[in-house]
Amino acid sequence: MIRLLVTTAAVLTAIPAYAQSSLGIRGADLSFGAAQDEFGTAQYELDGSVDVAVTEYHGLQGDLAFYNTDGGLVGQLGAHLYMTPKIGQKYGVFASVSDVDGRSMVWGNLGVEGMLSLGEASVVEGRVGLGVSDVNGLDYIFGGVSITHEISSSLEIEASLEVAEFDEASFSAVSYEAGLTARYNRDGSPLGAYASVTFSDMTGRDGQPAETRISVGLTVALGTTGGVDPATRPFRRTDPVAPLVRRGLW
């Protein structure tokens, strides 16, 4: 698995070298960090995306992520097919599939999303969708919203809220995750850093005590990617089942 992570990082950071080629690749970003999960255990997380132009107004974003949990390593593969009909706007559909290493458990998500500029320094993003798992017939609906403000050309702050509802005979709860993230990239440098704090709560019949997660890490952004312009900013990755897996509930 370590070899797979190293290979993934090498491929994602090498891709932007072809950004001006006929492949239409605009750019890529990669982050690697450590997180303190709900049980206070230090875990690692790897997250990367690649943005490819399909036409002048359409594009495809691919995501690949790994994050460690006490229940096993989770891998996620995702795709976003989007259009940019106007300056400051981006809309699309997304799908993802996740799997836990060493366990027979797979789940998938499908939904719609959008991004809208709020002036020159801020952007809002939202999504809604549904998902299903192959374990015990688990299905769910979810949604999320985030607002990002660019404090300077090097520093941005993002506030986010993710909600998912699970309503099954074997498990019934509503998951809430509210996060605050700061990202720093010095002008002209592809290297950066991030720090985030996330309040994770689960209410309902099978609710769990609220917990706080803290994450820190490094980022690499190559090609035309990032910022608060919807044309270059990648869509957020979402995984509604993650709070259940981290708590060992599923």
Side-chain angles (χ1 to χ4, degrees):
M1 183 60 67
I2 296 298
R3 181 179 297 176
L4 175 60
L5 295 178
V6 173
T7 302
T8 300
V11 170
L12 287 174
T13 54
I15 280 176
Y18 301 96
Q20 301 303 321
S21 73
S22 59
L23 294 177
I25 298 175
R26 296 190 178 108
D29 64 79
L30 177 70
S31 66
F32 181 77
Q36 183 184 50
D37 66 12
E38 280 80 353
F39 297 107
T41 305
Q43 310 284 11
Y44 66 83
E45 49 192 19
L46 173 69
D47 196 338
S49 68
V50 177
D51 186 30
V52 180
V54 178
T55 71
E56 183 180 357
Y57 300 104
H58 300 81
L60 177 65
Q61 175 186 323
D63 298 333
L64 182 62
F66 298 95
Y67 58 91
N68 203 21
T69 73
D70 287 340
L73 178 67
V74 178
Q76 184 186 62
L77 183 65
H80 311 250
L81 182 61
Y82 65 84
M83 62 179 178
T84 53
K86 296 181 179 180
I87 295 176
Q89 298 180 15
K90 183 159 72 173
Y91 307 101
V93 296
F94 67 91
S96 67
V97 60
S98 302
D99 176 73
V100 181
D101 189 32
R103 295 172 54 189
S104 179
M105 179 179 178
V106 178
W107 62 95
N109 304 308
L110 181 67
V112 296
E113 59 194 346
M115 200 180 298
L116 179 67
S117 288
L118 300 176
E120 295 183 356
S122 301
V123 62
V124 60
E125 178 184 346
R127 73 198 58 82
V128 294
L130 52 87
V132 62
S133 170
D134 66 345
V135 178
N136 296 335
L138 178 69
D139 56 54
Y140 49 91
I141 58 175
F142 63 90
V145 62
S146 66
I147 299 177
T148 304
H149 180 69
E150 194 174 63
I151 296 177
S152 69
S153 59
S154 300
L155 179 64
E156 68 177 38
I157 300 293
E158 178 185 77
S160 63
L161 175 64
E162 303 285 346
V163 181
E165 181 182 18
F166 306 89
D167 190 11
E168 300 292 338
S170 58
F171 185 82
S172 178
V174 178
S175 170
Y176 302 90
E177 292 205 322
L180 186 64
T181 303
R183 299 184 182 90
Y184 176 82
N185 280 85
R186 195 175 69 175
D187 289 345
S189 173
L191 301 178
Y194 71 89
S196 69
V197 57
T198 303
F199 176 78
S200 178
D201 194 13
M202 196 169 290
T203 63
R205 188 191 70 197
D206 298 301
Q208 298 290 312
E211 302 288 349
T212 300
R213 297 198 319 276
I214 298 175
S215 303
V216 294
L218 301 175
T219 62
V220 179
L222 300 173
T224 306
T225 186
V228 293
D229 183 353
T232 60
R233 185 176 184 83
F235 281 110
R236 285 169 51 88
R237 182 181 61 83
T238 185
D239 193 348
V241 180
L244 276 64
V245 177
R246 289 195 303 265
R247 287 180 167 89
L249 298 176
W250 210 262

